[in-house]
PDB file of all heavy atoms in Angstrom:
ATOM      1  N   VAL A 155      25.436 -40.924  -5.546  1.00  0.00           N
ATOM      2  CA  VAL A 155      24.658 -41.002  -4.316  1.00  0.00           C
ATOM      3  C   VAL A 155      23.176 -40.874  -4.694  1.00  0.00           C
ATOM      4  O   VAL A 155      22.830 -40.480  -5.809  1.00  0.00           O
ATOM      5  CB  VAL A 155      25.032 -39.867  -3.324  1.00  0.00           C
ATOM      6  CG1 VAL A 155      26.450 -40.038  -2.822  1.00  0.00           C
ATOM      7  CG2 VAL A 155      24.848 -38.500  -3.983  1.00  0.00           C
ATOM      8  N   LYS A 156      22.299 -41.215  -3.776  1.00  0.00           N
ATOM      9  CA  LYS A 156      20.870 -41.078  -4.017  1.00  0.00           C
ATOM     10  C   LYS A 156      20.457 -39.611  -3.908  1.00  0.00           C
ATOM     11  O   LYS A 156      20.891 -38.890  -3.015  1.00  0.00           O
ATOM     12  CB  LYS A 156      20.063 -41.903  -3.007  1.00  0.00           C
ATOM     13  CG  LYS A 156      20.192 -43.409  -3.191  1.00  0.00           C
ATOM     14  CD  LYS A 156      19.610 -43.857  -4.528  1.00  0.00           C
ATOM     15  CE  LYS A 156      19.709 -45.368  -4.694  1.00  0.00           C
ATOM     16  NZ  LYS A 156      19.224 -45.793  -6.036  1.00  0.00           N
ATOM     17  N   GLY A 157      19.634 -39.189  -4.830  1.00  0.00           N
ATOM     18  CA  GLY A 157      19.173 -37.818  -4.823  1.00  0.00           C
ATOM     19  C   GLY A 157      17.905 -37.660  -5.640  1.00  0.00           C
ATOM     20  O   GLY A 157      17.299 -38.646  -6.072  1.00  0.00           O
ATOM     21  N   GLU A 158      17.501 -36.421  -5.865  1.00  0.00           N
ATOM     22  CA  GLU A 158      16.295 -36.129  -6.635  1.00  0.00           C
ATOM     23  C   GLU A 158      16.612 -35.097  -7.716  1.00  0.00           C
ATOM     24  O   GLU A 158      17.492 -34.255  -7.550  1.00  0.00           O
ATOM     25  CB  GLU A 158      15.171 -35.595  -5.737  1.00  0.00           C
ATOM     26  CG  GLU A 158      14.581 -36.633  -4.801  1.00  0.00           C
ATOM     27  CD  GLU A 158      13.429 -36.069  -3.975  1.00  0.00           C
ATOM     28  OE1 GLU A 158      13.323 -34.833  -3.875  1.00  0.00           O
ATOM     29  OE2 GLU A 158      12.638 -36.866  -3.442  1.00  0.00           O
ATOM     30  N   GLU A 159      15.870 -35.192  -8.808  1.00  0.00           N
ATOM     31  CA  GLU A 159      16.017 -34.221  -9.891  1.00  0.00           C
ATOM     32  C   GLU A 159      14.648 -34.004 -10.531  1.00  0.00           C
ATOM     33  O   GLU A 159      13.885 -34.961 -10.717  1.00  0.00           O
ATOM     34  CB  GLU A 159      16.998 -34.719 -10.953  1.00  0.00           C
ATOM     35  CG  GLU A 159      17.193 -33.729 -12.095  1.00  0.00           C
ATOM     36  CD  GLU A 159      18.116 -34.259 -13.176  1.00  0.00           C
ATOM     37  OE1 GLU A 159      18.687 -35.354 -12.985  1.00  0.00           O
ATOM     38  OE2 GLU A 159      18.245 -33.587 -14.210  1.00  0.00           O
ATOM     39  N   VAL A 160      14.339 -32.760 -10.850  1.00  0.00           N
ATOM     40  CA  VAL A 160      13.113 -32.452 -11.572  1.00  0.00           C
ATOM     41  C   VAL A 160      13.413 -32.559 -13.068  1.00  0.00           C
ATOM     42  O   VAL A 160      14.286 -31.858 -13.582  1.00  0.00           O
ATOM     43  CB  VAL A 160      12.577 -31.049 -11.229  1.00  0.00           C
ATOM     44  CG1 VAL A 160      11.353 -30.729 -12.064  1.00  0.00           C
ATOM     45  CG2 VAL A 160      12.239 -30.966  -9.739  1.00  0.00           C
ATOM     46  N   VAL A 161      12.702 -33.440 -13.731  1.00  0.00           N
ATOM     47  CA  VAL A 161      12.953 -33.723 -15.142  1.00  0.00           C
ATOM     48  C   VAL A 161      11.764 -33.255 -15.975  1.00  0.00           C
ATOM     49  O   VAL A 161      10.615 -33.566 -15.660  1.00  0.00           O
ATOM     50  CB  VAL A 161      13.186 -35.234 -15.369  1.00  0.00           C
ATOM     51  CG1 VAL A 161      13.412 -35.520 -16.849  1.00  0.00           C
ATOM     52  CG2 VAL A 161      14.373 -35.709 -14.547  1.00  0.00           C
ATOM     53  N   GLU A 162      12.039 -32.487 -17.024  1.00  0.00           N
ATOM     54  CA  GLU A 162      11.012 -32.066 -17.973  1.00  0.00           C
ATOM     55  C   GLU A 162      10.991 -33.031 -19.150  1.00  0.00           C
ATOM     56  O   GLU A 162      12.030 -33.309 -19.749  1.00  0.00           O
ATOM     57  CB  GLU A 162      11.280 -30.647 -18.482  1.00  0.00           C
ATOM     58  CG  GLU A 162      10.763 -29.553 -17.581  1.00  0.00           C
ATOM     59  CD  GLU A 162      10.728 -28.195 -18.271  1.00  0.00           C
ATOM     60  OE1 GLU A 162      11.055 -28.134 -19.474  1.00  0.00           O
ATOM     61  OE2 GLU A 162      10.386 -27.211 -17.603  1.00  0.00           O
ATOM     62  N   ILE A 163       9.805 -33.527 -19.476  1.00  0.00           N
ATOM     63  CA  ILE A 163       9.670 -34.484 -20.567  1.00  0.00           C
ATOM     64  C   ILE A 163       8.681 -33.947 -21.585  1.00  0.00           C
ATOM     65  O   ILE A 163       7.531 -33.654 -21.247  1.00  0.00           O
ATOM     66  CB  ILE A 163       9.208 -35.864 -20.038  1.00  0.00           C
ATOM     67  CG1 ILE A 163      10.269 -36.424 -19.081  1.00  0.00           C
ATOM     68  CG2 ILE A 163       8.959 -36.827 -21.191  1.00  0.00           C
ATOM     69  CD1 ILE A 163       9.875 -37.716 -18.414  1.00  0.00           C
ATOM     70  N   ASN A 164       9.138 -33.787 -22.808  1.00  0.00           N
ATOM     71  CA  ASN A 164       8.288 -33.299 -23.897  1.00  0.00           C
ATOM     72  C   ASN A 164       7.641 -34.488 -24.603  1.00  0.00           C
ATOM     73  O   ASN A 164       8.341 -35.316 -25.187  1.00  0.00           O
ATOM     74  CB  ASN A 164       9.109 -32.482 -24.897  1.00  0.00           C
ATOM     75  CG  ASN A 164       9.698 -31.234 -24.271  1.00  0.00           C
ATOM     76  OD1 ASN A 164       9.050 -30.577 -23.474  1.00  0.00           O
ATOM     77  ND2 ASN A 164      10.935 -30.922 -24.611  1.00  0.00           N
ATOM     78  N   ILE A 165       6.323 -34.551 -24.548  1.00  0.00           N
ATOM     79  CA  ILE A 165       5.588 -35.645 -25.174  1.00  0.00           C
ATOM     80  C   ILE A 165       4.924 -35.114 -26.436  1.00  0.00           C
ATOM     81  O   ILE A 165       4.125 -34.178 -26.373  1.00  0.00           O
ATOM     82  CB  ILE A 165       4.545 -36.225 -24.207  1.00  0.00           C
ATOM     83  CG1 ILE A 165       5.255 -36.749 -22.942  1.00  0.00           C
ATOM     84  CG2 ILE A 165       3.747 -37.346 -24.876  1.00  0.00           C
ATOM     85  CD1 ILE A 165       4.329 -37.194 -21.851  1.00  0.00           C
ATOM     86  N   PRO A 166       5.236 -35.684 -27.598  1.00  0.00           N
ATOM     87  CA  PRO A 166       4.695 -35.152 -28.854  1.00  0.00           C
ATOM     88  C   PRO A 166       3.205 -35.420 -28.990  1.00  0.00           C
ATOM     89  O   PRO A 166       2.656 -36.341 -28.364  1.00  0.00           O
ATOM     90  CB  PRO A 166       5.485 -35.910 -29.926  1.00  0.00           C
ATOM     91  CG  PRO A 166       5.887 -37.180 -29.262  1.00  0.00           C
ATOM     92  CD  PRO A 166       6.116 -36.831 -27.819  1.00  0.00           C
ATOM     93  N   ALA A 167       2.547 -34.626 -29.813  1.00  0.00           N
ATOM     94  CA  ALA A 167       1.123 -34.824 -30.078  1.00  0.00           C
ATOM     95  C   ALA A 167       0.906 -36.130 -30.830  1.00  0.00           C
ATOM     96  O   ALA A 167       1.751 -36.556 -31.607  1.00  0.00           O
ATOM     97  CB  ALA A 167       0.584 -33.655 -30.901  1.00  0.00           C
ATOM     98  N   GLY A 168      -0.249 -36.754 -30.573  1.00  0.00           N
ATOM     99  CA  GLY A 168      -0.642 -37.935 -31.326  1.00  0.00           C
ATOM    100  C   GLY A 168      -0.208 -39.262 -30.753  1.00  0.00           C
ATOM    101  O   GLY A 168      -0.479 -40.306 -31.350  1.00  0.00           O
ATOM    102  N   VAL A 169       0.481 -39.264 -29.595  1.00  0.00           N
ATOM    103  CA  VAL A 169       0.897 -40.541 -29.021  1.00  0.00           C
ATOM    104  C   VAL A 169      -0.323 -41.355 -28.610  1.00  0.00           C
ATOM    105  O   VAL A 169      -1.437 -40.841 -28.502  1.00  0.00           O
ATOM    106  CB  VAL A 169       1.819 -40.326 -27.799  1.00  0.00           C
ATOM    107  CG1 VAL A 169       3.115 -39.687 -28.206  1.00  0.00           C
ATOM    108  CG2 VAL A 169       1.116 -39.488 -26.724  1.00  0.00           C
ATOM    109  N   ALA A 170      -0.103 -42.651 -28.391  1.00  0.00           N
ATOM    110  CA  ALA A 170      -1.218 -43.537 -28.063  1.00  0.00           C
ATOM    111  C   ALA A 170      -0.849 -44.439 -26.893  1.00  0.00           C
ATOM    112  O   ALA A 170       0.331 -44.576 -26.532  1.00  0.00           O
ATOM    113  CB  ALA A 170      -1.599 -44.386 -29.278  1.00  0.00           C
ATOM    114  N   GLU A 171      -1.855 -45.035 -26.303  1.00  0.00           N
ATOM    115  CA  GLU A 171      -1.678 -45.977 -25.200  1.00  0.00           C
ATOM    116  C   GLU A 171      -0.660 -47.048 -25.584  1.00  0.00           C
ATOM    117  O   GLU A 171      -0.725 -47.648 -26.642  1.00  0.00           O
ATOM    118  CB  GLU A 171      -3.021 -46.643 -24.874  1.00  0.00           C
ATOM    119  CG  GLU A 171      -2.955 -47.682 -23.774  1.00  0.00           C
ATOM    120  CD  GLU A 171      -3.417 -47.164 -22.422  1.00  0.00           C
ATOM    121  OE1 GLU A 171      -4.065 -46.108 -22.379  1.00  0.00           O
ATOM    122  OE2 GLU A 171      -3.141 -47.830 -21.415  1.00  0.00           O
ATOM    123  N   GLY A 172       0.309 -47.275 -24.693  1.00  0.00           N
ATOM    124  CA  GLY A 172       1.305 -48.316 -24.925  1.00  0.00           C
ATOM    125  C   GLY A 172       2.582 -47.836 -25.577  1.00  0.00           C
ATOM    126  O   GLY A 172       3.581 -48.558 -25.577  1.00  0.00           O
ATOM    127  N   MET A 173       2.582 -46.631 -26.148  1.00  0.00           N
ATOM    128  CA  MET A 173       3.804 -46.104 -26.742  1.00  0.00           C
ATOM    129  C   MET A 173       4.806 -45.725 -25.652  1.00  0.00           C
ATOM    130  O   MET A 173       4.430 -45.464 -24.506  1.00  0.00           O
ATOM    131  CB  MET A 173       3.505 -44.881 -27.613  1.00  0.00           C
ATOM    132  CG  MET A 173       2.852 -45.197 -28.929  1.00  0.00           C
ATOM    133  SD  MET A 173       2.649 -43.710 -29.959  1.00  0.00           S
ATOM    134  CE  MET A 173       1.972 -44.432 -31.453  1.00  0.00           C
ATOM    135  N   VAL A 174       6.072 -45.700 -26.025  1.00  0.00           N
ATOM    136  CA  VAL A 174       7.139 -45.358 -25.091  1.00  0.00           C
ATOM    137  C   VAL A 174       7.934 -44.188 -25.654  1.00  0.00           C
ATOM    138  O   VAL A 174       8.404 -44.236 -26.794  1.00  0.00           O
ATOM    139  CB  VAL A 174       8.082 -46.558 -24.850  1.00  0.00           C
ATOM    140  CG1 VAL A 174       9.181 -46.170 -23.856  1.00  0.00           C
ATOM    141  CG2 VAL A 174       7.308 -47.761 -24.343  1.00  0.00           C
ATOM    142  N   VAL A 175       8.071 -43.133 -24.865  1.00  0.00           N
ATOM    143  CA  VAL A 175       8.901 -41.981 -25.231  1.00  0.00           C
ATOM    144  C   VAL A 175      10.199 -42.086 -24.450  1.00  0.00           C
ATOM    145  O   VAL A 175      10.192 -42.153 -23.219  1.00  0.00           O
ATOM    146  CB  VAL A 175       8.186 -40.653 -24.916  1.00  0.00           C
ATOM    147  CG1 VAL A 175       9.097 -39.473 -25.201  1.00  0.00           C
ATOM    148  CG2 VAL A 175       6.898 -40.532 -25.725  1.00  0.00           C
ATOM    149  N   ASN A 176      11.311 -42.122 -25.170  1.00  0.00           N
ATOM    150  CA  ASN A 176      12.608 -42.275 -24.530  1.00  0.00           C
ATOM    151  C   ASN A 176      13.259 -40.912 -24.321  1.00  0.00           C
ATOM    152  O   ASN A 176      13.326 -40.095 -25.240  1.00  0.00           O
ATOM    153  CB  ASN A 176      13.520 -43.154 -25.392  1.00  0.00           C
ATOM    154  CG  ASN A 176      14.765 -43.577 -24.639  1.00  0.00           C
ATOM    155  OD1 ASN A 176      14.688 -44.241 -23.618  1.00  0.00           O
ATOM    156  ND2 ASN A 176      15.923 -43.188 -25.146  1.00  0.00           N
ATOM    157  N   VAL A 177      13.736 -40.673 -23.096  1.00  0.00           N
ATOM    158  CA  VAL A 177      14.418 -39.413 -22.771  1.00  0.00           C
ATOM    159  C   VAL A 177      15.866 -39.752 -22.429  1.00  0.00           C
ATOM    160  O   VAL A 177      16.159 -40.237 -21.335  1.00  0.00           O
ATOM    161  CB  VAL A 177      13.733 -38.705 -21.581  1.00  0.00           C
ATOM    162  CG1 VAL A 177      14.368 -37.348 -21.342  1.00  0.00           C
ATOM    163  CG2 VAL A 177      12.242 -38.564 -21.823  1.00  0.00           C
ATOM    164  N   PRO A 178      16.791 -39.542 -23.368  1.00  0.00           N
ATOM    165  CA  PRO A 178      18.177 -39.960 -23.147  1.00  0.00           C
ATOM    166  C   PRO A 178      18.892 -39.122 -22.098  1.00  0.00           C
ATOM    167  O   PRO A 178      18.686 -37.911 -21.986  1.00  0.00           O
ATOM    168  CB  PRO A 178      18.817 -39.772 -24.542  1.00  0.00           C
ATOM    169  CG  PRO A 178      17.968 -38.749 -25.215  1.00  0.00           C
ATOM    170  CD  PRO A 178      16.581 -38.942 -24.700  1.00  0.00           C
ATOM    171  N   GLY A 179      19.747 -39.798 -21.321  1.00  0.00           N
ATOM    172  CA  GLY A 179      20.625 -39.100 -20.393  1.00  0.00           C
ATOM    173  C   GLY A 179      19.986 -38.597 -19.116  1.00  0.00           C
ATOM    174  O   GLY A 179      20.633 -37.896 -18.341  1.00  0.00           O
ATOM    175  N   LYS A 180      18.724 -38.963 -18.854  1.00  0.00           N
ATOM    176  CA  LYS A 180      18.053 -38.484 -17.651  1.00  0.00           C
ATOM    177  C   LYS A 180      17.798 -39.606 -16.640  1.00  0.00           C
ATOM    178  O   LYS A 180      17.101 -39.400 -15.653  1.00  0.00           O
ATOM    179  CB  LYS A 180      16.723 -37.824 -18.022  1.00  0.00           C
ATOM    180  CG  LYS A 180      16.878 -36.536 -18.832  1.00  0.00           C
ATOM    181  CD  LYS A 180      17.603 -35.463 -18.038  1.00  0.00           C
ATOM    182  CE  LYS A 180      17.681 -34.156 -18.809  1.00  0.00           C
ATOM    183  NZ  LYS A 180      18.371 -33.107 -18.020  1.00  0.00           N
ATOM    184  N   GLY A 181      18.375 -40.771 -16.869  1.00  0.00           N
ATOM    185  CA  GLY A 181      18.225 -41.865 -15.922  1.00  0.00           C
ATOM    186  C   GLY A 181      19.273 -41.792 -14.826  1.00  0.00           C
ATOM    187  O   GLY A 181      19.813 -40.723 -14.521  1.00  0.00           O
ATOM    188  N   ASN A 182      19.591 -42.942 -14.218  1.00  0.00           N
ATOM    189  CA  ASN A 182      20.584 -42.980 -13.151  1.00  0.00           C
ATOM    190  C   ASN A 182      21.967 -42.609 -13.683  1.00  0.00           C
ATOM    191  O   ASN A 182      22.362 -42.998 -14.789  1.00  0.00           O
ATOM    192  CB  ASN A 182      20.646 -44.378 -12.537  1.00  0.00           C
ATOM    193  CG  ASN A 182      19.464 -44.650 -11.616  1.00  0.00           C
ATOM    194  OD1 ASN A 182      19.082 -43.804 -10.817  1.00  0.00           O
ATOM    195  ND2 ASN A 182      18.870 -45.827 -11.741  1.00  0.00           N
ATOM    196  N   ALA A 183      22.704 -41.833 -12.900  1.00  0.00           N
ATOM    197  CA  ALA A 183      24.063 -41.442 -13.278  1.00  0.00           C
ATOM    198  C   ALA A 183      24.969 -42.663 -13.275  1.00  0.00           C
ATOM    199  O   ALA A 183      24.815 -43.578 -12.453  1.00  0.00           O
ATOM    200  CB  ALA A 183      24.594 -40.380 -12.324  1.00  0.00           C
ATOM    201  N   GLY A 184      25.922 -42.708 -14.193  1.00  0.00           N
ATOM    202  CA  GLY A 184      26.887 -43.799 -14.225  1.00  0.00           C
ATOM    203  C   GLY A 184      27.945 -43.628 -13.152  1.00  0.00           C
ATOM    204  O   GLY A 184      28.320 -42.501 -12.808  1.00  0.00           O
ATOM    205  N   GLN A 185      28.427 -44.726 -12.618  1.00  0.00           N
ATOM    206  CA  GLN A 185      29.439 -44.652 -11.569  1.00  0.00           C
ATOM    207  C   GLN A 185      30.729 -44.027 -12.095  1.00  0.00           C
ATOM    208  O   GLN A 185      31.101 -44.205 -13.251  1.00  0.00           O
ATOM    209  CB  GLN A 185      29.733 -46.053 -11.024  1.00  0.00           C
ATOM    210  CG  GLN A 185      28.578 -46.661 -10.260  1.00  0.00           C
ATOM    211  CD  GLN A 185      28.955 -47.966  -9.578  1.00  0.00           C
ATOM    212  OE1 GLN A 185      30.105 -48.389  -9.595  1.00  0.00           O
ATOM    213  NE2 GLN A 185      27.968 -48.603  -8.964  1.00  0.00           N
ATOM    214  N   ARG A 186      31.369 -43.284 -11.230  1.00  0.00           N
ATOM    215  CA  ARG A 186      32.662 -42.642 -11.498  1.00  0.00           C
ATOM    216  C   ARG A 186      32.654 -41.898 -12.839  1.00  0.00           C
ATOM    217  O   ARG A 186      33.447 -42.161 -13.730  1.00  0.00           O
ATOM    218  CB  ARG A 186      33.798 -43.678 -11.436  1.00  0.00           C
ATOM    219  CG  ARG A 186      34.023 -44.183 -10.007  1.00  0.00           C
ATOM    220  CD  ARG A 186      35.176 -45.137  -9.911  1.00  0.00           C
ATOM    221  NE  ARG A 186      34.856 -46.451 -10.435  1.00  0.00           N
ATOM    222  CZ  ARG A 186      34.167 -47.389  -9.781  1.00  0.00           C
ATOM    223  NH1 ARG A 186      33.703 -47.125  -8.563  1.00  0.00           N
ATOM    224  NH2 ARG A 186      33.943 -48.564 -10.317  1.00  0.00           N
ATOM    225  N   ASN A 187      31.708 -40.938 -12.921  1.00  0.00           N
ATOM    226  CA  ASN A 187      31.562 -40.065 -14.092  1.00  0.00           C
ATOM    227  C   ASN A 187      31.315 -40.839 -15.375  1.00  0.00           C
ATOM    228  O   ASN A 187      31.792 -40.482 -16.459  1.00  0.00           O
ATOM    229  CB  ASN A 187      32.800 -39.162 -14.253  1.00  0.00           C
ATOM    230  CG  ASN A 187      32.876 -38.096 -13.176  1.00  0.00           C
ATOM    231  OD1 ASN A 187      31.862 -37.532 -12.772  1.00  0.00           O
ATOM    232  ND2 ASN A 187      34.081 -37.835 -12.681  1.00  0.00           N
ATOM    233  N   GLY A 188      30.532 -41.885 -15.252  1.00  0.00           N
ATOM    234  CA  GLY A 188      30.149 -42.666 -16.419  1.00  0.00           C
ATOM    235  C   GLY A 188      28.976 -42.026 -17.158  1.00  0.00           C
ATOM    236  O   GLY A 188      28.619 -40.865 -16.914  1.00  0.00           O
ATOM    237  N   VAL A 189      28.384 -42.778 -18.051  1.00  0.00           N
ATOM    238  CA  VAL A 189      27.282 -42.289 -18.880  1.00  0.00           C
ATOM    239  C   VAL A 189      25.955 -42.506 -18.157  1.00  0.00           C
ATOM    240  O   VAL A 189      25.701 -43.591 -17.619  1.00  0.00           O
ATOM    241  CB  VAL A 189      27.256 -43.027 -20.234  1.00  0.00           C
ATOM    242  CG1 VAL A 189      26.104 -42.541 -21.099  1.00  0.00           C
ATOM    243  CG2 VAL A 189      28.578 -42.838 -20.961  1.00  0.00           C
ATOM    244  N   SER A 190      25.123 -41.482 -18.139  1.00  0.00           N
ATOM    245  CA  SER A 190      23.810 -41.605 -17.501  1.00  0.00           C
ATOM    246  C   SER A 190      22.878 -42.465 -18.344  1.00  0.00           C
ATOM    247  O   SER A 190      22.953 -42.470 -19.579  1.00  0.00           O
ATOM    248  CB  SER A 190      23.175 -40.228 -17.290  1.00  0.00           C
ATOM    249  OG  SER A 190      23.927 -39.465 -16.382  1.00  0.00           O
ATOM    250  N   GLY A 191      21.986 -43.188 -17.689  1.00  0.00           N
ATOM    251  CA  GLY A 191      20.992 -43.980 -18.388  1.00  0.00           C
ATOM    252  C   GLY A 191      19.865 -43.104 -18.927  1.00  0.00           C
ATOM    253  O   GLY A 191      19.938 -41.870 -18.894  1.00  0.00           O
ATOM    254  N   ASP A 192      18.827 -43.725 -19.421  1.00  0.00           N
ATOM    255  CA  ASP A 192      17.691 -43.016 -20.005  1.00  0.00           C
ATOM    256  C   ASP A 192      16.462 -43.144 -19.117  1.00  0.00           C
ATOM    257  O   ASP A 192      16.433 -43.945 -18.182  1.00  0.00           O
ATOM    258  CB  ASP A 192      17.357 -43.575 -21.391  1.00  0.00           C
ATOM    259  CG  ASP A 192      18.529 -43.490 -22.361  1.00  0.00           C
ATOM    260  OD1 ASP A 192      19.426 -42.655 -22.109  1.00  0.00           O
ATOM    261  OD2 ASP A 192      18.545 -44.251 -23.337  1.00  0.00           O
ATOM    262  N   ILE A 193      15.452 -42.347 -19.415  1.00  0.00           N
ATOM    263  CA  ILE A 193      14.130 -42.509 -18.808  1.00  0.00           C
ATOM    264  C   ILE A 193      13.174 -42.943 -19.905  1.00  0.00           C
ATOM    265  O   ILE A 193      13.087 -42.303 -20.958  1.00  0.00           O
ATOM    266  CB  ILE A 193      13.627 -41.208 -18.151  1.00  0.00           C
ATOM    267  CG1 ILE A 193      14.493 -40.845 -16.942  1.00  0.00           C
ATOM    268  CG2 ILE A 193      12.171 -41.364 -17.719  1.00  0.00           C
ATOM    269  CD1 ILE A 193      14.033 -39.593 -16.210  1.00  0.00           C
ATOM    270  N   GLN A 194      12.486 -44.036 -19.661  1.00  0.00           N
ATOM    271  CA  GLN A 194      11.486 -44.529 -20.604  1.00  0.00           C
ATOM    272  C   GLN A 194      10.104 -44.199 -20.041  1.00  0.00           C
ATOM    273  O   GLN A 194       9.739 -44.650 -18.955  1.00  0.00           O
ATOM    274  CB  GLN A 194      11.638 -46.034 -20.814  1.00  0.00           C
ATOM    275  CG  GLN A 194      12.981 -46.407 -21.426  1.00  0.00           C
ATOM    276  CD  GLN A 194      13.232 -47.892 -21.433  1.00  0.00           C
ATOM    277  OE1 GLN A 194      12.528 -48.663 -20.805  1.00  0.00           O
ATOM    278  NE2 GLN A 194      14.265 -48.310 -22.152  1.00  0.00           N
ATOM    279  N   VAL A 195       9.365 -43.408 -20.802  1.00  0.00           N
ATOM    280  CA  VAL A 195       8.055 -42.939 -20.356  1.00  0.00           C
ATOM    281  C   VAL A 195       6.968 -43.738 -21.083  1.00  0.00           C
ATOM    282  O   VAL A 195       6.842 -43.665 -22.307  1.00  0.00           O
ATOM    283  CB  VAL A 195       7.880 -41.433 -20.641  1.00  0.00           C
ATOM    284  CG1 VAL A 195       6.548 -40.953 -20.091  1.00  0.00           C
ATOM    285  CG2 VAL A 195       9.028 -40.644 -20.032  1.00  0.00           C
TER     286      VAL A 195
END
């Protein structure tokens, strides 16, 4: 179902414009207890 979650994202020192930090398992939940997607920052 649609909902909200507060997600903490740790960004390492030294990153630069255009880089992408991937946070696994914090994206949309998979249907019927499937695998959650990721968040790309």
Side-chain angles (χ1 to χ4, degrees):
V155 294
K156 291 296 181 184
E158 290 183 342
E159 181 183 354
V160 176
V161 179
E162 276 195 3
I163 298 175
N164 297 321
I165 301 173
V169 295
E171 178 100 16
M173 286 185 176
V174 181
V175 176
N176 192 61
V177 185
K180 294 297 184 179
N182 284 316
Q185 292 188 5
R186 291 183 285 281
N187 289 322
V189 179
S190 295
D192 302 338
I193 293 182
Q194 297 171 348
V195 184

